[in-house]
């Protein structure tokens, strides 16, 4: 059985552009959550910081994540994000199982 893939995506927007990140996520989230293999796709704003966000993703398998990465909606979102992001997102992949 394939192992799930869990990732944290750290996002920083340009000053004053956090609302654009929120709007982009609100449009994208329902589409991503409907994808086969999507277990979790939730974005949180960092408390007290208007330009910092953490996206929590979980996919049922590496194949499901790979399929997600090449969907038209993700290609479009990735192309649009440089307009409001301060730089590339930092992707942190977690081990499959939590520690003790």
């Amino acid at each position: 059985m394939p192992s799930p893939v869990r990732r944290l995506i750290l996002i920083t927007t340009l000053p004053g552009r956090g609302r654009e990140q929120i709007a982009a996520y609100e449009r994208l989230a329902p589409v991503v959550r409907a994808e086969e293999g999507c277990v979790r796709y939730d974005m949180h704003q960092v408390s007290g910081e208007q330009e910092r966000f953490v996206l929590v993703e979980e996919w049922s398998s590496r194949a499901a994540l790979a399929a997600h990465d090449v969907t038209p909606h993700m290609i479009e979102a990735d192309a649009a994000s440089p307009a409001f992001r301060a730089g590339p997102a930092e992707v942190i992949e977690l081990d499959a199982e939590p520690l003790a």
Side-chain angles (χ1 to χ4, degrees):
M1 174 185 252
S3 294
V5 180
R6 294 178 186 94
R7 304 189 319 172
L8 301 177
I9 315 296
L10 309 180
I11 299 166
T12 303
T13 65
L14 294 165
R17 308 288 291 269
R19 185 70 203 133
E20 292 172 65
Q21 176 62 58
I22 293 167
Y25 168 76
E26 288 173 344
R27 286 189 303 274
L28 196 59
V31 179
V32 172
R33 289 178 182 142
E35 290 179 44
E36 185 174 334
C38 180
V39 176
R40 182 173 182 190
Y41 192 81
D42 299 319
M43 191 174 79
H44 302 267
Q45 192 162 23
V46 173
S47 183
E49 298 191 41
Q50 298 297 312
E51 284 90 25
R52 292 186 61 213
F53 302 87
V54 177
L55 180 65
V56 181
E57 291 186 307
E58 184 174 350
W59 296 89
S60 61
S61 67
R62 195 154 300 285
L65 174 59
H68 160 73
D69 286 341
V70 296
T71 58
H73 53 270
M74 285 311 301
I75 292 169
E76 182 180 327
D78 288 344
S81 67
F84 52 84
R85 287 192 181 171
E90 180 182 355
V91 178
I92 300 170
E93 189 164 316
L94 305 176
D95 285 340
E97 296 301 323
L99 301 174

